[in-house]
């Protein structure tokens, strides 16, 4: 198929590399260097989508990031990506794109009926219409959502790779147009580390679409010279196709670089997108500007385009977007479109100028070419639906309407500086009367806008801005500026001023005049919103949705604000634009996640015995970042069956568990004893060397923070163990107190969690197993004691203690030798029938004994008293949280306190978290609200007790012993009896049997 | 993402640090002598100023040292850092 | 940037002793020098080294003594003896960390994918060390040579995770310049 609108020559496309692609199933061709938009226009395709609300036919409006209409779906097989801007999508061989938001096809869209009904769908329509009756809202919502929305989200996982990259620089330059290149050159020549980030596929910015000259040669020759110089400098990093999208505190900016388009195959192993996290000492924003659309009836018809876009498609891509063109303008700049297109042989029907006169050098050149120029006009409408056919205009003084036949309308109301990144960083904006737009007010610390981004209209001005800012930025980084005699002479006579006040059509004109193309917001919508009282920019935005599309109102916001000022009959200077917030351009989830997906999603911690567990079929659970074996099912065994087997092995024989994840902190120094006593609410100073004690740590507010065992290794030396989850926070807590409150205490704390691996041997036969393997007398070790020893030749600390409430030992060895010791112990245990047990069995075993577990029985609002630890508090010494325990609220008798709970039915296991009630209720609807007097904190089936057991926190606690309460489970009240919070007697038998 | 100048390690990303809340809250010398209201005030009440704010920070993933930061909560400017126990710099001397 | 091949090298665990003490106390410095042959560096982020032994700054009163020649317990007990009587602490943590080396032309690019430190030669020089985060994991980075070669000390438990992360991060450079990963 031939590209009927491709010019014979010209443009920056590579005509030796034709590319085939498909749009809505049609096979088309373009060239390397094309965007999808330029290739579609070359093929005469203007109609590219349907609008969001009214499903009106829409064509390409712009040429870059500002594009509100040409959003397409790109798919390859199951992969699909919605809302891709055709103006930024670089064409590749085999690209498959389709239009969005139409059914059944782009040309025949039934949703377009919404357009006919649109006088019934003004701003706030959904709020007003579908709110009653409220219970039908879900129904309305489903119907509305089917009609609205843009593309389709992918259903399958994203197959592409993404990554992140941190970067640092002296000077970040955003934008590689004239001003940006000048800034980058100036800074780099001073020796600065420069990052130049630009969202296009090649440097040049707006120059790529113009026919400008710099220093007597083509501007693009100057661009390539500048780029060659920059690329040759080792401290310069050029990032093409990188949109800086977020500007945060202290010179932190986020950018997204595109290496491959959606669906494009990966030939080289690079990620599809890379998220840059840039820390810049100075930032120069040279983000350019976006052309401002005019507002007139049916200004959204396909074939109506921004004036710069029309000439840039011609100059940059060799594409004629129409064959008979009308330029409509409120400024001189758009006359360039008439000149450039005429030079390319495109027929220009007329230039329609809304201003009362058009006498600058550009209008003179246009007239000199014999092109008709109409001045003092207003646009009353257009003819044509799927493609503009004629423009209808009349003198602003009134009179006859003239219809000018055309197939392309190129419009301009001047330029809008891209101040987004400046504003994101809290830069203030002010209204510029001359330009009719908001421009940066002054500068920010370390951030400056240059060129078109600050409203500089001329090329010469942009270059001067850039060179100056680049040099200043480098100097601010302590780098000496080099003398620069830069010849940047450009031919640029003055242009006549823009008339931005005349850009709106009258209310009486009829037809819809769009201000936000993507969200279908019209002039009438804005005026209606103001009449209804939504006359602050923030309210107006949310009520009309203007500026809330994926294009963030880049082309529309300024016109919305100008209309607002007009409707409020106030000056634009009274209007404060809504704050720009990141991201400037939406980021894909892939880019945000980067490489941290799948197995890399989050750091995973494994113990030295991990592979052994995995080899034995362990089912792992996540405890913080740790992977811990939860249980070791035999083939076909259920969780409960495995846990029963593991629990019984601990109670009757011997079993082994990996407890390496528990935190271990080495505490030593002359004041270690005093320190330990202040950290725990129990007394630790009384410990003899080689002895261990269980203790609780409190926060200042008296609530339990962590628990664990302290072992005294020497006169001035302790080892503190913590819970798995508490390891880091307890260590940080100790350091905090030592550094900030008790700097006088001579104590050093060091985390040794990772150095040691720890193995628990539990059960009545553990002594028999371990005895022959150690070089000490285990029998002589009292319960809760510690000895240094060699276990099977490995230097170890042997602890006689257990968390399961029965006989047992824990053995800590250097992690590098733990696997070896584990297998030795397991081998030696085989004749005793040893098995491994996991965390689930640990939980059951400790609950049988009534041992609390931090995070189950505690939740940050539980005191030692609540758990029945009053008797073990050492109130005659200072400790953290002590004073709080005397607070009246913590002494109340009706606080929730720890109890045991037994269900009537022995096999009924309550769900943890179930609420406890005093009275049974039949159903949630049946009665008045009921007081919840407690909840279940731990609940298991205990094979040893041959029934279910549970712990809970209940108002009144032990005072309720023997009472019957009701657990509310799945809409049903289950009877439970309150017991003491332990289920075994002194001999280790079930206590209530 | 703040860039916090650790007095030891130099400027580092905020993610390496943990904020410990308002600085210069003096732990009462004799908590037992305070009534519940005074103790509760010490535990829970903070000034939460708009503007200059002295905070405690710790370089969790660096040198693990605590230090104080004088930060403007409106502009996010970090005016100075100083050691634990030192008096806050006077207003005006940026 | 066609220089040396970019590679990830697994160096396993290494004798590492945490030392706490007061570097303003001349007795502490002398005792350290006597036991290790090296004085603890006082400037943040610096190291002292002699052949295959080094002392890395961890904090104003904290250092990591590492050795590729001496066993941990021997070095630790020699240091303990030398520091007897001083308020100082010596803790053998030789099994707590594993070491990876990232070397070659793109070493900095590989690390920059997960580490926010500025490792540019103007900001981070040969012999410097820094504690930071790499791929959300606490890491101690030590630049061993100008080649460049960066050694990463990470907790043993996250060793596998870090290895997998490094493998993914170096992948694009394997295509380009034929580097290697473990
Ligand atoms: Zn630090």
């Amino acid at each position: 198929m031939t590209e009927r609108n491709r010019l014979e020559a010209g443009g920056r496309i590579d005509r030796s590399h034709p590319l085939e692609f498909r749009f809505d199933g049609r096979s088309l061709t373009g060239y390397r260097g094309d965007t999808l938009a330029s290739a579609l226009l070359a093929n005469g395709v203007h109609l590219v989508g349907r609008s969001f609300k009214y499903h009106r036919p829409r064509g390409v409006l712009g040429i870059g990031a500002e594009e509100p209409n040409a959003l397409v779906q790109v798919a390859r097989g199951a992969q699909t990506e919605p809302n891709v801007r055709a103006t930024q999508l670089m064409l590749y061989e085999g690209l498959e794109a389709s239009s969005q938001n139409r059914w059944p096809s782009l040309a025949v869209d039934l949703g377009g009926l919404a357009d006919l009904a649109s006088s019934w769908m003004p701003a706030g329509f959904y709020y007003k219409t579908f709110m009653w009756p409220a219970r039908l809202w879900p129904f309305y919502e489903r119907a509305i959502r089917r009609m609205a929305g843009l593309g389709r989200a992918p259903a399958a996982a994203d197959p592409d790779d993404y990554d992140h990259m941190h970067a640092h620089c002296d000077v970040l330059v955003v934008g590689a147009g004239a001003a940006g290149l000048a800034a980058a050159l100036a800074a780099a020549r001073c020796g600065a580390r420069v990052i130049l980030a630009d969202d296009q596929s090649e440097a040049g910015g707006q120059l790529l679409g113009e026919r400008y000259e710099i220093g007597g040669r083509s501007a693009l020759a100057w661009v390539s010279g500048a780029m060659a110089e920059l690329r040759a400098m080792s401290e310069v990093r050029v990032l093409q196709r990188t949109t800086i999208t977020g500007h945060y505190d202290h010179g932190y900016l986020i950018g997204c670089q595109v290496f491959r388009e959606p669906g494009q195959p990966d030939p080289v192993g690079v990620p599809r997108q890379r998220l840059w996290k840039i820390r810049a000492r100075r930032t120069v924003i040279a983000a350019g500007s976006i052309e401002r659309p005019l507002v007139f009836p049916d200004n959204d018809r396909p074939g109506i385009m921004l004036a710069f876009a029309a000439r840039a498609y011609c100059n940059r891509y060799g594409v004629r977007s129409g064959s008979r063109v009308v330029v409509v303008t409120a400024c001189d700049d758009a006359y360039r479109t008439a000149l450039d297109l005429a030079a390319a042989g495109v027929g220009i029907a007329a230039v329609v100028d809304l201003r009362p006169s058009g006498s600058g050098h550009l209008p003179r050149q246009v007239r000199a070419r014999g092109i008709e120029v109409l001045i003092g006009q207003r646009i009353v409408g257009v003819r044509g639906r799927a493609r503009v056919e004629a423009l209808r205009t009349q003198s602003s003084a009134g009179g006859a309407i003239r219809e000018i036949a055309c197939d392309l309308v190129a419009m301009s109301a001047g330029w809008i500086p891209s101040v987004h990144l400046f504003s994101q960083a809290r830069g203030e904006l002010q209204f510029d009367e001359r330009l009719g737009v908001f421009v940066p007010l002054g500068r920010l610390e370390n951030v400056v806008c240059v060129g078109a981004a600050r409203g500089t209209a001329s090329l010469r001005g942009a270059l001067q801005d850039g060179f100056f800012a680049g040099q200043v930025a480098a100097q601010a980084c302590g780098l000496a500026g080099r003398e620069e005699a830069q010849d940047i002479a450009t031919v640029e006579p003055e242009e006549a001023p823009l008339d931005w006040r005349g850009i709106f059509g009258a209310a009486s004109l009829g037809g819809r005049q769009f201000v936000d193309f993507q969200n279908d917001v019209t002039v009438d919508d804005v005026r209606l919103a103001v009449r209804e009282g939504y006359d602050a920019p923030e309210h107006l935005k949310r009520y009309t949705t203007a500026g809330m599309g994926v294009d963030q109102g880049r082309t529309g916001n300024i016109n919305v604000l100008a209309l607002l000022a007009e409707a409020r009959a106030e000056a634009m200077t009274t209007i404060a634009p809504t704050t720009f917030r990141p991201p400037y351009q939406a980021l894909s989830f892939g880019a945000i996640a980067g490489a941290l997906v799948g197995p890399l999603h989050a750091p995973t911690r494994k113990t030295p015995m991990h592979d052994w567990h995995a080899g034995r079929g362990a089912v792992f659970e996540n405890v913080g970042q740790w992977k811990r074996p939860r249980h070791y099912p035999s083939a076909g065994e259920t969780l409960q069956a495995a846990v029963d087997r593991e629990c019984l092995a601990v109670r009757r024989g011997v079993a082994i568990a990996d407890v390496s994840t528990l935190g271990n902190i080495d505490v030593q120094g002359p004041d270690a004893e005093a320190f330990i006593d202040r950290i725990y609410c129990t007394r630790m100073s009384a410990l003899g060397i080689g002895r261990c004690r269980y203790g609780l740590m409190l926060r200042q507010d008296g609530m339990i923070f962590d628990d664990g065992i302290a072992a005294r290794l020497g006169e001035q030396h302790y080892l503190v163990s913590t819970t798995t989850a508490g390891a880091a926070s307890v260590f940080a807590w100790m350091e905090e107190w030592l550094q900030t409150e008790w700097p006088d205490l001579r104590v050093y704390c060091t985390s040794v969690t990772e150095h040691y691996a720890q193995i628990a041997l539990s059960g009545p036969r553990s002594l028999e197993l371990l005895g022959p393997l150690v070089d000490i007398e285990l029998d002589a070790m009292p319960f809760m004691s510690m000895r240094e020893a060699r276990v099977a030749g490995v230097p170890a600390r042997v602890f006689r203690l257990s968390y399961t409430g029965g006989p047992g030992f824990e053995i800590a060895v250097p992690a590098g030798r733990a696997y070896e010791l584990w297998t030795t112990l397991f081998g030696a245990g085989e004749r005793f029938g040893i098995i491994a047990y996991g965390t689930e069995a640990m939980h059951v075993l400790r609950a049988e004994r009534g041992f609390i577990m931090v995070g189950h029985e505690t939740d940050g609002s539980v005191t030692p008293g609540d758990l029945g630890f009053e008797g073990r508090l050492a109130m005659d010494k200072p400790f953290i949280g002590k004073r709080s325990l005397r607070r009246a609220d913590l002494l109340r008798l009706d606080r929730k306190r720890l109890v045991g709970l037994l269900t009537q039915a022995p096999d009924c296991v309550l769900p943890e978290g179930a609420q406890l009630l005093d009275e049974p209720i039949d159903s949630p609807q049946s009665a008045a609200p009921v007081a919840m007097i407690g909840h279940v904190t731990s609940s298991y089936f205990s094979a040893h007790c041959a029934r279910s057991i549970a712990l809970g926190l209940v108002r009144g606690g032990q005072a309720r012993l023997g009472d019957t309460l009701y657990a509310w489970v799945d809409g049903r009240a289950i009877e439970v009896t309150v017991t003491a919070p332990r289920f075994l007697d002194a001999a280790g038998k079930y206590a209530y049997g | 993402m703040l860039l916090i100048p650790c007095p030891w390690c130099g400027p580092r990303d905020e993610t390496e640090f943990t904020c410990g809340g308002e600085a210069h809250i003096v732990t009462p010398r004799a908590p037992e002598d305070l009534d519940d209201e005074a103790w509760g005030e010490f535990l829970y009440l903070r000034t939460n100023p708009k503007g200059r704010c002295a905070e405690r920070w710790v370089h969790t993933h660096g040198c693990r040292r605590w230090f104080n930061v004088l930060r403007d909560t409106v502009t996010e400017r970090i005016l100075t850092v100083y050691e634990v126990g030192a008096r806050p710099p006077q207003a005006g001397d940026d | 940037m066609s220089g040396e091949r970019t590679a990830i090298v697994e160096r396993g665990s290494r004798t590492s002793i945490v030392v706490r003490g007061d570097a303003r106390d001349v007795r502490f410095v002398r005792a350290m020098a006597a036991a290790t042959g090296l004085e603890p560096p006082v400037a943040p982020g610096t190291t002292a080294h002699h052949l295959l032994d080094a002392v890395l700054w961890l904090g104003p009163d904290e250092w990591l003594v590492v050795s590729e020649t001496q066993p941990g317990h021997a070095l630790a007990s020699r240091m303990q003896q030398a520091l007897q009587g001083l308020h100082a602490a010596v803790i053998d943590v030789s099994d707590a960390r594993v070491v990876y080396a990232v070397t070659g032309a793109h070493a900095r690019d590989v690390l920059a994918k997960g580490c926010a430190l500025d490792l540019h030669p103007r900001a981070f020089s040969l012999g410097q060390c820094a504690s930071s985060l790499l791929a959300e994991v606490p890491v101690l980075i030590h630049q061993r040579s100008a080649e460049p070669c960066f050694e990463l000390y990470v907790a043993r438990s996250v060793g596998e995770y870090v290895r997998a992360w490094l493998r993914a991060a170096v992948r694009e450079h394997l295509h380009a310049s034929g580097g290697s990963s473990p």
Side-chain angles (χ1 to χ4, degrees), chain B residues 6-10 12 16-17 59 62-65 67, chain C residues 57-58:
Chain B
C6 170
W8 297 99
C9 307
R12 297 286 186 92
E16 292 189 7
F17 299 84
H59 194 184
C63 63
R64 297 191 292 109
R65 294 302 106 178
F67 56 96
Chain C
W57 187 95
L58 294 182

